Structure formats: C-alpha cells, structure tokens
Amino acid sequence: MDVVFTILLVSNSIFFLIVIYNLLFAPRVKLFSLENQSEKISVLIPARDEEKNITTLLNNLINQSYKNLEIIVLDDNSTDNTQKIVKSFSVLDNRIHLINGEKLQKGWLGKNFACHQLSQKANGDIFLFLDADVSINENSIESVLKIFKEKKVNMLSIFPTQIIPNISTYLITPMMNWILLTFLPLLKVYTSTNKSFVAANGQFIMIDKETYLKIGGHVSVKNKIVEDMELARKVKEGKFKIITLLGNNFVKCKMYSKLDEAFNGFSKNFYAGFNISTVMFSLLLIFIQSVFMLPTILVLFEIKFITIVFMIIISRIIISHLSNQNIFLNVLLHPFQMVA
C-alpha cells in the first residue's frame, strides 16, 4: 500500500502543479479595444438544423463593437427554419450572407466540407470560424483581435465557457476543460514550439487567410474527426504561432442539453483528440482512473490518502473557477464524472 500511495501522490502532485500553473498563467479573453478597424474579418458559420441557436449568434454578431465584418452562413441541407432565419437577418444587415451547401463530396466529413466551402467564399484578411451554438458578447471580436495582433499569432482558438443546463450533462461536459487544464500547461501552446503542446477548439478559431492557405486549409484535414486539433498541429508544424485561450464570459457555448447528446458527442471526439494508438489510449484511460478515482476509494481504508483526495478537490475547485462552472457540483460529482 505504501508503494501505491507514493505513486498516486507523485502523479497527483505533478498534475496539481499543472493546474496551479494554469491558474496563474492560462491565457484568458479580456476586454480590449482597437484604435482602428482596418482588417476585414470573415465570420464563417457552418449551420445544419440550427434554428434554436442561429438567432442568438447573429444578434451577437450584428451588435459587435468591431464593425468591419462579413458574416457568411452556410446552410448545410437543414430541414428546419435555419435558412429562413438567416435570410431574414440578411435583409436587416447587408454584411450577412447565406450560401447553400453542396452535396457532401467523397472523402470529406460534413463540418470540414462546410468550412472549406465557407473559406472559398470569404473575402476577409482574417477568418473566424464559429459554431452556430456559440454566443459572444458585444466586445468579443474586438478584444480577441487585439490579442491576435499583440501576440503576433497566426491562429487563435478559444475554449468557450460551457453552458451546462442540468445535472445529467454535468456528468460529462465539464470533463473537456478538466482534461485540458489538468494535462496541459495552456500557455505552452503559445510559448513552446514543441508539437506536443497543442490545443484548439473548433467552436472558435481565428486564423489569418495567408496561414490558412499555406497549411492547406480544411482540405488538409478533410477526413479528420477532430479537425480543430489537426489544424492546430499543422500550424505548429509550419512554424507558425498559435495561442489558445479560455473564453471567460466573452465566448460561451451550449453544446448539449441531454446526457445522451453529451455522451455521443464526446465519444466521437475523445479518442481521436489524443492522436495515439488504441493500446496507448487504453493505458491512458487506466492511468486516469487509477490516479484520479482510486484515491477516493482507498481513503475509506487508509486515512493517509486524504492528502491526495484534498489535491484532487482543490484542482477541481480551481478548474471549475477557471471554466466558470459550478464548483460544488464538480466536486460532488467527481467520482461519477470519472466513471462517465
């Protein structure tokens, strides 16, 4: 038991230090303003059956403090009122344009093909890919562009604050930021050239047009499930600069409303996102369960494991704070989230 305790203590101490590092240094969106708005930004939104979300996003966009925008929505063969809603907004604001998606071509995944078509229609100096279920405040684009320019990056991605509507989705959705901020010193995505330090979220990706074309755009990742991570890797491989930030209250997203939606969504992306072999991924899962679940069981038999449990709890509190999530629920549900 002493050997087990030592292994778990050392492992948790390492991850605890990463969490503390992220508390101190993880890049976050903050309020900034620009002296001029010379760069034209193409806001590119793939949308399929998004009638519940698209109105909020388009309202957010037309009320942005940054005005030099073109807003292009691709209707990807929707069967609801998505197209009708976008058309009504295009009448109100001539910056909004609707295009109809082509039939999915062989070798492509749907979202990747939609983003590719959007990029071909874009006229901006900078592309901003947004998911239709994202919401942004009125200063978001201006603030993010300020960071983009000051940091002299070629690609900027944001992990939005997730809107988690109920207990069932709290079993899975918080784990995205937990994995991000437990295993990755987020600032290293920007400061290190090492390709191991990479993270991106396709819900919000800003990239300059020249870099996008040089890395091959979405054509180069056309059959990749986690195209956001693959684009980020290609940016690093091309020796371009990338930064990844936490959204604070500037960028939010309601990904899932029900447990089955969350389960299916993360099941699709979780394995592919790590970009490792099946054997290594299986070992990783065993390792995660051992490090973050086992101490909560062993503490019932030996009180000394309380030190490790305390580190796990503090880490959950910090990550919940950074992610604007319910601290009490994440601490309470930790064992169940590990199982999920």
Side-chain angles (χ1 to χ4, degrees), residues 25-299:
F25 302 114
R28 292 163 243 185
V29 182
K30 298 177 181 178
L31 180 63
F32 293 110
S33 60
L34 287 164
E35 292 182 2
N36 66 72
Q37 299 190 3
S38 57
E39 287 92 354
K40 186 174 185 178
I41 299 179
S42 296
V43 183
L44 308 175
I45 308 165
R48 183 173 186 173
D49 295 336
E50 292 286 357
E51 64 178 9
K52 294 180 180 178
N53 299 310
I54 198 70
T55 297
T56 298
L57 178 56
L58 291 178
N59 272 321
N60 292 163
L61 288 168
I62 63 177
N63 290 304
Q64 285 296 297
S65 60
Y66 195 88
K67 301 300 182 184
N68 194 2
L69 306 173
E70 67 168 359
I71 302 161
I72 308 175
V73 181
L74 180 138
D75 177 41
D76 192 11
N77 302 297
S78 296
T79 57
D80 62 4
N81 290 315
T82 298
Q83 186 170 124
K84 182 179 179 181
I85 293 169
V86 178
K87 282 182 177 178
S88 68
F89 271 92
S90 67
V91 173
L92 297 173
D93 192 321
N94 60 13
R95 296 176 299 170
I96 297 176
H97 309 280
L98 173 70
I99 61 174
N100 293 314
E102 300 173 12
K103 183 180 178 181
L104 184 64
Q105 294 180 6
K106 185 177 180 180
W108 283 87
L109 294 180
K111 181 183 177 182
N112 303 352
F113 188 49
C115 289
H116 169 63
Q117 293 174 76
L118 284 162
S119 70
Q120 291 186 310
K121 299 292 184 181
N123 299 301
D125 310 298
I126 296 172
F127 294 169
L128 173 56
F129 293 96
L130 290 180
D131 280 3
D133 53 4
V134 166
S135 61
I136 57 179
N137 77 19
E138 63 183 7
N139 303 112
S140 293
I141 291 180
E142 185 172 11
S143 297
V144 170
L145 182 59
K146 176 77 168 181
I147 297 169
F148 189 89
K149 291 164 65 69
E150 280 199 345
K151 296 295 185 181
K152 298 180 180 179
V153 295
N154 304 95
M155 176 176 169
L156 179 152
S157 186
I158 291 175
F159 277 76
T161 294
Q162 297 298 326
I163 300 170
I164 310 174
N166 50 54
I167 293 289
S168 64
T169 48
Y170 250 100
L171 288 174
I172 294 179
T173 304
M175 303 313 290
M176 178 171 64
N177 276 26
W178 177 79
I179 290 169
L180 175 74
L181 297 172
T182 299
F183 292 90
L184 178 67
L186 195 58
L187 183 61
K188 291 292 183 181
V189 175
Y190 172 66
T191 59
S192 174
T193 58
N194 191 321
K195 289 183 289 186
S196 298
F197 295 114
V198 66
N201 190 324
Q203 294 166 350
F204 191 113
I205 288 179
M206 180 178 282
I207 184 169
D208 69 82
K209 181 178 181 178
E210 185 177 351
T211 300
Y212 179 80
L213 295 175
K214 281 183 178 179
I215 65 171
H218 279 84
V219 176
S220 65
V221 296
K222 63 182 182 179
N223 62 348
K224 302 296 184 181
I225 295 174
V226 283
E227 85 293 339
D228 44 12
M229 291 287 287
E230 295 299 333
L231 282 173
R233 289 188 181 104
K234 288 186 176 296
V235 168
K236 278 220 162 182
E237 288 169 1
K239 308 300 182 184
F240 299 110
K241 293 289 287 183
I242 178 174
I243 190 169
T244 301
L245 305 95
L246 300 177
N248 275 346
N249 286 317
F250 287 82
V251 184
K252 297 180 180 179
C253 182
K254 183 180 178 182
M255 294 177 69
Y256 307 113
S257 299
K258 298 183 292 185
L259 178 61
D260 59 340
E261 292 176 359
F263 186 84
N264 291 331
F266 282 104
S267 295
K268 180 181 71 174
N269 295 308
F270 188 43
Y271 168 61
F274 279 94
N275 197 35
I276 55 179
S277 69
T278 304
V279 172
M280 288 301 296
F281 184 73
S282 300
L283 292 173
L284 175 64
L285 288 182
I286 294 170
F287 175 74
I288 289 173
Q289 294 298 328
S290 299
V291 172
F292 299 103
M293 182 68 170
L294 194 56
T296 64
I297 297 172
L298 294 178
V299 73

